[in-house]
């Protein structure tokens, strides 16, 4: 069992049949992904991601099953008023995994025989951080609202939640700018 700020698991005990080998490797921790990983998934986290991963030998020589979860809180922008919104999410996953010795780290197998997605790792030491961050990011809603009835921004960029007295004024201003207003000026008789 590991518990630290990264998500590295040493799967070497699963790879050999020698005494001291194991049928499963379990890890959990609180992950602070590096900037590169966060950028790849367009993530802004409010704190570390909690995670747990179990990798089991499924009986074949190099075939494994990875089961895990990741949860945390991300900053998102309200789609109407652009203020900061904190969104909690939790992802759970089960995926087949295979060991194909190479220089490469954990990756999705693109040449699997069937349509099923498979993870492949080339080194016994596996960094699960990019996978965990990606699965967490997928679980987040595409857009967020600070509240159901968010009034959004006025044409001048004023937050109407903070200035509800401007809502009517803004509505009138928008009516003036409506693209349909232009249609009034088109002479349909010509
Ligand atoms: Zn809002």
């Amino acid at each position: 069992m590991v518990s630290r700020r990264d998500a590295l698991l040493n799967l070497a005990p699963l790879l050999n049949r020698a005494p001291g080998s194991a049928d499963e490797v379990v890890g959990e921790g609180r992950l602070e992904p590096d900037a590169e990983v966060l950028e790849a998934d367009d993530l802004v986290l409010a704190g570390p991601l909690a995670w747990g991963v179990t990798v089991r030998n499924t009986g074949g020589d190099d075939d494994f099953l990875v089961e895990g979860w990741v949860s945390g809180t991300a900053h998102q922008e309200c789609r109407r008023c652009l203020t900061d919104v904190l969104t909690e999410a939790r992802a759970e996953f089960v995926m087949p995994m295979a060991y194909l010795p190479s220089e490469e780290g954990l990756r999705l197998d693109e040449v699997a025989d069937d349509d099923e997605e498979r993870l492949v790792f080339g080194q016994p030491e596996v960094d699960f951080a990019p996978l965990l961050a990606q699965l967490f990011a997928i679980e987040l809603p595409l857009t967020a609202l600070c509240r159901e009835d968010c009034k959004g921004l006025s044409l001048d960029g004023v937050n109407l939640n903070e200035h509800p007295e401007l809502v009517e004024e803004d509505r009138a201003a928008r009516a003036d700018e409506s693209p349909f207003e232009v249609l009034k000026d088109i002479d349909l008789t010509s």
Side-chain angles (χ1 to χ4, degrees), residues 32-53:
E32 288 176 304
D34 56 36
E36 200 181 316
V37 169
L38 293 174
E39 255 168 53
D41 296 309
D42 210 6
L43 264 184
V44 184
L45 293 175
L49 293 172
W51 63 273
V53 166

Side-chain angles (χ1 to χ4, degrees), residues 41-86:
D41 296 309
D42 210 6
L43 264 184
V44 184
L45 293 175
L49 293 172
W51 63 273
V53 166
T54 301
V55 183
R56 282 191 191 89
N57 197 314
T58 54
D61 279 346
D62 297 312
D63 293 325
F64 307 92
L65 192 71
V66 58
E67 198 171 338
W69 57 272
V70 56
S71 70
T73 305
H75 289 282
Q76 291 188 294
E77 216 170 52
C78 174
R79 65 171 173 266
R80 288 187 202 149
C81 73
L82 310 182
T83 57
D84 189 41
V85 180
L86 290 176

